Amino acid sequence: MAPIVSELSNLTDFVVKKGNGVKGLAEIGIERVPDQYIQPIKERMDMHQALQMPSDLAIPVIDMSKWGDRKVVDSICDAAEKWGFFQIINHGVSVEVMENVKTATVRFFSSTAEEKSKYTKENSPTNHVRYGTSFAPEAESSLEWKDYLSLFFTSEEDASTLWPPQCKDEALEYMKNAEPVIRKLMEALMTRLNVTEINENKSSLLMGSKRINFNYYPKCPNPELTIGVGRHSDISNLTLLLQDDIGGLYVRAHCTDANGSIVQNWVHIPPISGALVINVGDALQIMSNGRYKSVEHRVVANGSKDRLSVPIFVNPRPSDAIGPLAEVLETGERAVYKQVLYSDYTKHFFNKAHDGKKTLDFAKI
C-alpha cells in the first residue's frame, strides 16, 4: 500500500534537505498531493477555460533558415512586441545536441538523493550551482511541483570543475551551440530600438551573463490542485527554452470575447519537434522602455507523465545598471523605468514567491 503523506513526519526535511525533491514524493507512491502543495483556487489552472481559446490564437512560429530576409527580423520584433513569446525553427542548434541535453537532465534527476543533495544551498561548493525544489520554499505559502538544477556560467574551467558530472558536458555543448542563435535574436531585436551596433558595452547589458536550468516536473497524483510553476515573468533579457513533447507551458494573452471585450486568458505553447521557445524577460522590457513585453507564464502539473525543460536565461551582468536605452529615449520618449542595479533586481525576484509581473514595480518610476 502506498504511504500517506501523514507518514512523512517532516516533509520539508524529506523533500528539501535530504535532496529527494518532489520526484522522491512521486516515487514513494503518494496517492494525494501534500497540503503544502495545494494552491489557492485563484492560482489553479482552469483547463476548461484554457481549452476554449480561439483556434487562431497561437504563438508565432518563426523560421530562422531565411535569416537574411528582412521579414524574419520584422517577425521577431513583432512577436516580441505583441506576444513576448514565440517559437523558432531551423535555428541551427542540432537535434542531437538538444536530445543530449534532455537525456542529461533525466540522468541528473535519476541520481540518488545523496548525489543530488551535494548541490543544495547548504552543501553546494559554489553559489553558481544550485539543486532545489519549488521556487523559494522559505517564502512560499504553497509549494510548486518542480525540482530544478540551476547552473550560472562563469567560465568553462569553473563549469568543468564545479558542475555535476551527470550533465556538465551536455550543458556546455548546448550553451555553445545556442550562442549564435542568441546573438542573431538580439541583433534583430535591437533594430527596432535604434541600436545600430552591439558594441562591448551593449553586449554586456544584453548578453553579459547566462544561466542554464534543468527543470523536472514529476507525474503528480492531483495535478488540478497544484502547479508546476506559478504565474511569473522572467527577469532575463531573453530566455531560450527547450521543452520535451509533453506540453504544459501556458502564457497569458489578451483576446476579444464574443461581446468584443478584451479579456485575458491562458494560451498553450504546444511542443514542436526541434523548436526553441523564446520569450522576452523583464530586463529587456525595461531597456526597451516597454516596447518589448515580458509576459506572465506558468506550467501546469501533469497527472500521467514526467515533464522536463531546459531554459537558458540570457541576462545583463549582475554589476550592470539597467534602464531604458539611450537610443530608445533619443526621440523624446519619456522613460517609464528608472536605472536599477541588475543584482538588486534579481535579489528582489528571488526573495519572494512567484507573483505575476509585480517584480517590474521595483524598476518603475
Side-chain angles (χ1 to χ4, degrees):
M1 180 178 175
I4 58 176
V5 175
S6 61
E7 293 173 353
L8 295 172
S9 59
N10 191 327
L11 186 94
T12 301
D13 187 63
F14 177 83
V15 173
V16 180
K17 294 181 180 178
K18 291 185 177 178
N20 289 286
V22 285
K23 185 173 187 289
L25 281 180
E27 287 175 344
I28 62 174
I30 61 168
E31 297 175 348
R32 183 178 183 275
V33 167
D35 290 346
Q36 293 92 327
Y37 289 89
I38 296 177
Q39 295 286 326
I41 292 176
K42 65 183 180 65
E43 296 298 340
R44 299 178 200 172
M45 187 71 175
D46 185 341
M47 297 303 296
H48 175 75
Q49 187 182 40
L51 291 172
Q52 301 308 306
M53 293 299 294
S55 59
D56 60 344
L57 192 63
I59 302 299
V61 179
I62 300 172
D63 188 344
M64 297 280 283
S65 64
K66 299 179 181 179
W67 179 245
D69 190 334
R70 179 69 199 185
K71 291 180 181 177
V72 175
V73 173
D74 287 340
S75 295
I76 291 169
C77 295
D78 290 345
E81 286 189 18
K82 179 181 178 181
W83 285 94
F85 265 83
F86 53 97
Q87 298 202 64
I88 57 174
I89 57 175
N90 298 320
H91 40 68
V93 180
S94 73
V95 172
E96 180 183 10
V97 168
M98 293 190 291
E99 289 302 315
N100 285 346
V101 81
K102 287 192 282 188
T103 300
T105 302
V106 174
R107 186 163 56 241
F108 175 80
F109 287 103
S110 297
S111 302
T112 63
E114 183 181 13
E115 278 293 311
K116 289 182 288 191
S117 65
K118 292 178 181 177
Y119 305 100
T120 60
K121 182 178 181 180
E122 293 77 16
N123 300 330
S124 181
T126 170
N127 288 332
H128 298 322
V129 178
R130 181 66 49 82
Y131 163 68
T133 190
S134 193
F135 175 67
E138 66 283 351
E140 294 169 315
S141 56
S142 301
L143 300 174
E144 300 176 351
W145 195 261
K146 180 194 76 170
D147 298 330
Y148 68 88
L149 174 69
S150 185
L151 306 171
F152 184 82
F153 181 82
T154 51
S155 70
E156 284 196 40
E157 181 181 1
D158 285 349
S160 297
T161 303
L162 299 170
W163 289 9
Q166 299 95 324
C167 58
K168 65 181 179 182
D169 292 338
E170 292 81 3
L172 282 169
E173 186 67 16
Y174 177 51
M175 293 183 82
K176 286 179 188 176
N177 277 261
E179 279 291 329
V181 184
I182 293 168
R183 188 156 193 97
K184 283 181 178 179
L185 291 169
M186 284 298 187
E187 288 173 347
L189 291 164
M190 289 303 103
T191 62
R192 203 164 283 184
L193 301 182
N194 305 318
V195 176
T196 56
E197 178 189 6
I198 299 180
N199 56 26
E200 185 176 346
N201 182 52
K202 284 290 192 297
S203 183
S204 172
L205 278 172
L206 299 173
M207 303 171 283
S209 70
K210 298 179 184 68
R211 181 186 296 275
I212 184 169
N213 275 21
F214 293 74
N215 297 327
Y216 196 86
Y217 306 87
K219 183 172 67 173
C220 179
N222 308 101
E224 73 283 359
L225 297 180
T226 188
I227 197 77
V229 176
R231 299 178 299 109
H232 73 288
S233 58
D234 293 346
I235 57 171
S236 57
N237 278 315
L238 282 182
T239 303
L240 284 73
L241 178 75
L242 172 63
Q243 60 174 341
D244 63 12
D245 59 356
I246 303 302
L249 172 63
Y250 287 79
V251 303
R252 191 186 285 279
H254 296 78
C255 58
T256 305
D257 65 12
N259 299 318
S261 300
I262 300 296
V263 295
Q264 292 187 350
N265 214 323
W266 294 96
V267 178
H268 187 229
I269 299 188
I272 298 174
S273 179
L276 292 171
V277 180
I278 312 298
N279 66 276
V280 173
D282 289 357
L284 187 56
Q285 174 164 333
I286 291 167
M287 290 187 204
S288 69
N289 206 35
R291 177 183 287 272
Y292 297 139
K293 307 294 192 299
S294 66
V295 175
E296 275 186 87
H297 51 286
R298 68 199 307 188
V299 175
V300 298
N302 191 295
S304 58
K305 295 180 179 179
D306 299 339
R307 178 182 183 269
L308 65 86
S309 67
V310 184
I312 296 176
F313 301 102
V314 184
N315 310 311
R317 292 181 307 181
S319 59
D320 285 329
I322 60 171
L325 296 174
E327 292 88 344
V328 174
L329 302 179
E330 64 186 8
T331 59
E333 185 175 323
R334 183 181 66 84
V336 294
Y337 300 102
K338 59 189 176 184
Q339 294 281 328
V340 295
L341 193 64
Y342 188 63
S343 59
D344 289 342
Y345 194 83
T346 59
K347 287 174 186 174
H348 181 65
F349 177 72
F350 285 111
N351 284 338
K352 57 185 175 59
H354 281 140
D355 56 2
K357 289 195 62 173
K358 290 182 180 178
T359 310
L360 267 172
D361 293 341
F362 185 79
K364 286 181 179 177
I365 293 177

